[in-house]
Amino acid sequence: MQLPHLSLLLQEELPCSTAFAPAGLLRTYMSDPISNPDFLNGCAKDHAFKRMLFGLAFFHSIVQERQKFGPMGWNIPYQFNENDLRISVRQLRMFLDEYPEIPYATLTYTAGECNYGGKVGKLQHMQRIFSIWHLLCPASSRTCWLH
């Protein structure tokens, strides 16, 4: 098989990220506590909160959607669920309200390593989790323990 044909085959057969938002993103914004207007609009760092909330929701949606691809997404069926998102969103809000500066290292540890990474058993999958995390939160890339 020639290289151009192999490249085309890989593009057609393998799941890849696209320019479209994951299907679960709307469902994520309709969930508790994000759907509560008081929670959504009451943060001390409102602009940063909404931007980081979108990144966290997008991250959650990507991690959830990878499960649909079976062994090509995660070859171990991890149980990521709405509780992971819910606690991460509440922690995000709490840390932004309580700290004078945005605590990227703390957010990376609590959401990335504990809430989501704590369910992952393989180093390879942990690296994928953090690759996705750092794409959506580039300022946190210097705080990852995998680097």
Side-chain angles (χ1 to χ4, degrees):
M1 187 176 278
Q2 295 176 355
L3 189 59
H5 296 289
L6 179 62
S7 175
L8 185 59
L9 175 70
L10 289 175
Q11 289 177 8
E12 292 175 355
E13 297 296 325
L14 294 177
C16 61
S17 62
T18 64
F20 302 104
L25 192 58
L26 180 59
R27 183 178 59 246
T28 298
Y29 268 90
M30 301 306 288
S31 68
D32 179 55
I34 302 170
S35 62
N36 181 345
D38 294 332
F39 181 83
L40 187 62
N41 297 316
C43 184
K45 296 177 185 71
D46 192 52
H47 182 70
F49 174 68
K50 288 181 180 173
R51 290 176 57 102
M52 295 176 82
L53 176 64
F54 178 79
L56 186 58
F58 204 91
F59 171 78
H60 177 76
S61 297
I62 290 171
V63 169
Q64 288 279 73
E65 291 216 3
R66 281 185 66 100
Q67 292 177 341
K68 294 179 184 177
F69 295 105
M72 291 186 339
W74 304 111
N75 61 3
I76 297 173
Y78 299 114
Q79 298 299 317
F80 300 114
N81 57 41
E82 299 306 311
N83 290 330
D84 300 317
L85 175 67
R86 189 175 297 119
I87 189 66
S88 297
V89 167
R90 288 184 175 146
Q91 289 170 337
L92 171 65
R93 168 77 188 270
M94 180 184 71
F95 291 137
L96 289 179
D97 282 342
E98 292 181 4
Y99 285 80
E101 298 291 323
I102 298 173
Y104 292 109
T106 304
L107 292 167
T108 297
Y109 179 74
T110 57
E113 293 181 33
C114 295
N115 300 342
Y116 287 92
K119 294 185 176 190
V120 175
K122 292 178 72 175
L123 180 61
Q124 202 174 28
H125 293 170
M126 182 67 91
Q127 290 169 334
R128 286 190 187 120
I129 291 267
F130 274 98
S131 293
I132 297 166
W133 178 265
H134 294 308
L135 277 173
L136 298 171
C137 188
S140 67
S141 63
R142 63 185 172 275
T143 63
C144 177
W145 60 271
L146 289 174
H147 289 226

